[in-house]
Amino acid sequence: SNTRRRRSQSETNNNKSNDSATTTTTHALKSKENIYTMGNAGSQPKNQTGKKVVVQKLENAKKTGILSLREHKLDKIPDQVFDITNLTSLDVSNNNLKHLDLANAKQLSNLANLKSFNCEQNKLQADALTSIPSLLKLQNLSAGGNELGKPVLLTPPAGVVAGGGGKKTKQKVTKTADQLFPSTLPPSLKSLKLDHNAFSSIPPQICSAKLIKLVKLDLSYNNLASVPTEISNLTSLTELNLDSNSIVSLPTEVGSLSKLKALSLQNNCITVHSSTVYSEKNPQPIPASVFRDTLIVDLNLKGNSMTSTQLNEFDGYHDFLERRKKIKSKGIDGGALTDLDVCGLD
């Protein structure tokens, strides 16, 4: 009898041990499943597309004034968009748009209340922004990743001219980005993003004295060799991004941007030789006025042919350092900055 009891107790203990092991294994598997779910299925969902989705978004936009048609493989903006006249924000980025409204009976100019417009990462050509000047409330325009800086071969609608041998042919005309870029931009603009657009020069319209509210300008990743003196017209500018161009120097007029706080010139062609002596005929590539007369505390020169030691010898540079030290000591907007690391030079 005692032997039977001992066997029964032993079997019970074994069963409990097995159940415990099974439970532990189950928990471990569930834990792994949770980790897998967090790292995969829990990642950012893909953007929903399709006609039904677009219809639903259009209906919602009528109530909210906000519409995003990002990554919808659009060749044109749906006509219904131009009927939502209360739109304040429109995002049509990452599509296949070559024009914004030239092929539509209704125009972008209908959206008189638009404040933010994102048309990045499309195939927009230099004449695509013709309706932008009519958007008098527009504050933010993001048009990076397009072809706005490339010349366009146009065939005028009435361009039938007499050709050789009495034949009539359509005369095609090549126009530059400067010619096709809007003659004016909305004076309400606060932020303008035109990176990755193959601009070989900055259209004069961008440096208009009418853009008195513009605080952020991004012209990075273009083919710019210089900055026009008219940049001084942008008196409210606080951030200027000119990364990855072919700029060799800045005009003294950049120094008149008295509110400028951040200037980025990464990966350009600013070159300093150890034997160079600067003078009026051979000025330093970054004028002293840029260091002395602006509010710059964030300056990035990484990827240029110069060293921190050479930069340290620039006229005006120590004024820049003193300004940064004062800001750091006050703990205002840049407490983590160090004297030379901010410039990205060795």
Side-chain angles (χ1 to χ4, degrees):
S1 177
N2 290 336
T3 302
R4 288 177 182 174
R5 286 175 186 167
R6 283 195 294 271
R7 284 179 182 173
S8 177
Q9 185 67 38
S10 177
E11 288 173 359
T12 300
N13 290 339
N14 286 338
N15 288 337
K16 286 182 178 180
S17 178
N18 290 337
D19 289 343
S20 177
T22 302
T23 301
T24 301
T25 302
T26 301
H27 282 314
L29 289 173
K30 286 184 177 179
S31 178
K32 287 182 180 180
E33 287 174 2
N34 289 338
I35 293 172
Y36 179 81
T37 300
M38 290 171 65
N40 293 272
S43 59
Q44 187 175 355
K46 290 184 178 180
N47 189 31
Q48 292 184 341
T49 60
K51 290 184 179 180
K52 290 184 178 179
V53 174
V54 172
V55 170
Q56 185 60 53
K57 286 186 174 183
L58 290 171
E59 286 301 312
N60 291 340
K62 292 176 183 179
K63 303 173 185 176
T64 64
I66 299 171
L67 176 61
S68 176
L69 295 176
R70 186 176 184 273
E71 293 181 341
H72 276 64
K73 300 179 181 179
L74 299 175
D75 294 316
K76 59 173 283 189
I77 298 176
D79 289 339
Q80 300 93 314
V81 171
F82 303 114
D83 292 327
I84 310 175
T85 55
N86 66 318
L87 269 187
T88 59
S89 178
L90 175 60
D91 185 346
V92 291
S93 62
N94 294 79
N95 282 292
N96 300 313
L97 304 174
K98 289 186 177 180
H99 300 284
L100 294 177
D101 55 11
L102 292 180
N104 295 301
K106 297 174 182 177
Q107 301 291 305
L108 193 66
S109 56
N110 288 4
L111 307 180
N113 292 302
L114 204 62
K115 292 182 179 180
S116 179
F117 183 39
N118 187 346
C119 54
E120 292 182 338
Q121 303 299 325
N122 278 284
K123 300 175 182 178
L124 298 177
Q125 298 177 327
D127 57 346
L129 303 181
T130 51
S131 294
I132 294 297
S134 63
L135 303 176
L136 299 180
K137 293 184 180 180
L138 192 66
Q139 296 179 9
N140 303 306
L141 174 58
S142 297
N146 284 289
E147 300 174 8
L148 299 175
K150 294 181 179 180
V152 178
L153 190 62
L154 298 175
T155 303
V160 180
V161 297
K167 294 182 180 179
K168 290 185 177 181
T169 59
K170 283 192 174 183
Q171 183 67 46
K172 290 187 177 181
V173 179
T174 299
K175 291 198 173 184
T176 65
D178 286 0
Q179 293 173 310
L180 294 170
F181 203 78
S183 56
T184 60
L185 290 171
S188 53
L189 271 181
K190 292 182 178 180
S191 175
L192 180 58
K193 198 168 182 292
L194 294 171
D195 57 289
H196 293 88
N197 264 295
F199 283 111
S200 56
S201 63
I202 299 177
Q205 300 91 316
I206 292 175
C207 296
S208 169
K210 294 180 180 180
L211 298 180
I212 57 174
K213 295 183 179 180
L214 192 67
V215 294
K216 295 182 181 181
L217 177 59
D218 186 350
L219 288 164
S220 60
Y221 293 90
N222 282 289
N223 302 318
L224 306 176
S226 62
V227 177
T229 58
E230 290 79 9
I231 192 80
S232 61
N233 288 330
L234 305 178
T235 54
S236 295
L237 208 62
T238 63
E239 296 181 24
L240 178 58
N241 188 347
L242 296 169
D243 289 348
S244 299
N245 282 286
S246 301
I247 296 168
V248 296
S249 65
L250 295 178
T252 56
E253 285 75 9
V254 174
S256 66
L257 300 175
S258 60
K259 296 181 181 180
L260 193 64
K261 293 181 180 179
L263 173 62
S264 194
L265 286 159
Q266 291 187 83
N267 302 314
N268 274 279
C269 299
I270 299 173
T271 303
V272 177
H273 300 289
S274 56
S275 59
T276 301
V277 177
Y278 297 111
S279 63
E280 283 190 26
K281 293 184 178 180
N282 183 33
Q284 63 188 40
I286 302 176
S289 61
V290 174
F291 299 115
R292 288 177 178 158
D293 302 332
T294 68
L295 298 177
I296 289 178
V297 291
D298 190 352
L299 175 63
N300 200 327
L301 298 169
K302 184 178 180 180
N304 288 281
S305 297
M306 60 188 300
T307 65
S308 58
T309 302
Q310 291 169 331
L311 178 62
N312 194 54
E313 295 173 354
F314 275 20
D315 187 21
Y317 183 66
H318 288 280
D319 296 85
F320 162 73
L321 289 183
E322 286 301 314
R323 182 168 58 253
R324 293 189 61 255
K325 286 177 182 177
K326 288 179 182 178
I327 290 178
K328 182 179 178 181
S329 65
K330 291 179 181 178
I332 302 174
D333 193 32
L337 299 179
T338 57
D339 286 347
L340 290 175
D341 288 348
V342 70
C343 299
L345 299 175
D346 297 327

